[in-house]
Amino acid sequence: MLAEHRVLTTHQITAIAFPSGRAANHRLRRLYQWRVLDRFQPYIGRGRAPMYYVLDTAGAHVLAHEDGLEPRELKFRAERSVGIAYSLRLAHLHGVNSFFTTLLADALARHDCAVTAWWSEARCARHFGDLVRPDGYGRWREGDREIEWFLEWDTGSYQLSRFVAKLPGYFELATTTRIITPLLACFATPQRETHARNLLTEHLKTHVRPHDLPIATTNAQHLQHVGAGASPEMWLPLRNSRAGRRRLIELLAAWPQLAPPATASNTFPEAIEPTSQPRLSPPAPMPPWHARDLTWSPAW
């Protein structure tokens, strides 16, 4: 997961991979000592930030050998990996990864749910980068229903006109692939979400096929109030918004033009990975054990 998504906190790792914080801390400490992982703790001014973990040299070598690669083929550099600690993108990555790890935690707590895909920004760029560069791609299954989406995560650091300028790329992707994939966008504040919704609505009025890009929005303050994940009513569709905010799976009712789950689930995750250079295989979204009985699989 760290090779794919770059950085995860202790809380996020515990939620998706360990039965308790104590077990996570014990194992993470050993992995840090063995240089499988590196870690840092950013300064936040008030309070104490959680520990952030990234891949280290030994971890990159282990993953390379598992995939039949020479470590040097990965061109892994430990200083570049831990350099995210000083990057302005740390908050952005933390937000995106928090969204998906919360979904994973929800799925592990229920027998009828699963995160069936979680792609990083880098993997999305390799597949769709000539048209769009979303912050992530995911799929969620709940019972016999399944929904897929692209994610855009706003931290309030740029003009919203830049966000609106991404829409033609998403429309072109839908036209090229003949697949309608919803776009979920989380904005930094309620005011910014409202402003963005007005801009998005005006832009869609100029498009001949606005239904080809279903959009739903939320904001970080709302997530702090109701919580993230699949259970809270957090997403407000840009169209058909009279019913208010909806749960993730309930967005299907707002967008009847979406393909059936069986069709949607057999598209992007099976796409061929570009082979311009050796790459690690993607991690499975769900860990090989179930949180309800806490039975660990030998594969883990």
Side-chain angles (χ1 to χ4, degrees):
M1 280 294 193
L2 287 170
E4 175 80 4
H5 303 294
R6 298 193 62 186
V7 59
L8 294 169
T9 68
T10 305
H11 303 316
Q12 293 167 347
I13 293 172
T14 302
I16 67 174
F18 289 95
S20 69
R22 181 178 180 181
N25 285 323
H26 175 75
R27 177 58 57 134
L28 290 172
R29 182 169 59 252
R30 299 297 294 273
L31 294 175
Y32 170 71
Q33 293 169 345
W34 296 331
R35 292 200 63 185
V36 174
L37 306 179
D38 203 351
R39 65 186 184 186
F40 61 89
Q41 192 171 31
Y43 174 74
I44 59 174
R46 297 180 60 184
R48 184 179 181 182
M51 198 68 73
Y52 286 65
Y53 284 86
V54 297
L55 194 66
D56 204 349
T57 304
H61 283 212
V62 168
L63 293 177
H65 285 296
E66 284 184 350
D67 284 1
L69 303 173
E70 288 294 328
R72 65 175 180 274
E73 292 183 280
L74 295 181
K75 299 180 180 180
F76 175 82
R77 293 174 56 186
E79 62 272 21
R80 183 186 302 168
S81 180
V82 78
I84 190 65
Y86 308 100
S87 171
L88 297 177
R89 290 182 53 79
L90 179 60
H92 178 266
L93 273 172
H94 176 69
V96 172
N97 292 348
S98 292
F99 171 77
F100 279 103
T101 53
T102 303
L103 280 181
L104 278 169
D106 281 359
L108 291 170
R110 299 171 57 181
H111 285 297
D112 63 337
C113 298
V115 175
T116 53
W118 173 17
W119 286 15
S120 65
E121 179 181 4
R123 191 170 297 275
C124 288
R126 292 198 294 271
H127 285 276
F128 317 118
D130 56 334
L131 298 177
V132 295
R133 292 178 176 265
D135 296 324
Y137 164 79
R139 287 189 301 157
W140 171 261
R141 186 178 68 238
E142 189 168 323
D144 59 354
R145 296 181 294 173
E146 189 169 10
I147 186 171
E148 64 178 349
W149 68 90
F150 290 120
L151 179 68
E152 291 282 353
W153 195 272
D154 165 67
T155 58
S157 60
Y158 58 85
Q159 295 292 328
L160 286 173
S161 57
R162 285 180 54 191
F163 178 84
V164 177
K166 298 180 180 181
L167 298 190
Y170 283 107
F171 276 111
E172 187 174 353
L173 180 64
T175 301
T176 302
T177 62
R178 298 182 181 179
I179 302 167
I180 298 177
T181 307
L183 176 62
L184 305 185
C186 179
F187 296 95
T189 65
Q191 296 79 12
R192 192 168 170 87
E193 181 188 8
T194 300
H195 186 201
R197 290 179 64 85
N198 292 335
L199 292 176
L200 293 170
T201 300
E202 289 301 315
H203 180 86
L204 292 184
K205 288 179 180 179
T206 66
H207 204 279
V208 295
R209 295 178 58 88
H211 292 284
D212 283 356
L213 183 60
I215 300 175
T217 66
T218 190
N219 64 81
Q221 292 185 21
H222 182 70
L223 297 190
Q224 291 177 356
H225 178 67
V226 303
S231 299
E233 296 176 341
M234 53 186 286
W235 296 107
L236 185 63
L238 193 64
R239 303 166 67 94
N240 301 325
S241 60
R242 292 183 179 179
R245 297 190 184 271
R246 308 187 188 206
R247 296 174 56 243
L248 178 60
I249 200 66
E250 291 173 352
L251 289 172
L252 291 173
W255 301 323
Q257 73 273 31
L258 294 182
T263 302
S265 65
N266 290 329
T267 308
F268 291 143
E270 286 73 23
I272 299 175
E273 179 76 4
T275 57
S276 58
Q277 67 181 68
R279 301 191 187 278
L280 297 174
S281 59
M286 301 287 291
W289 58 280
H290 201 286
R292 185 161 297 177
D293 55 22
L294 301 180
T295 300
W296 293 81
S297 163
W300 185 257

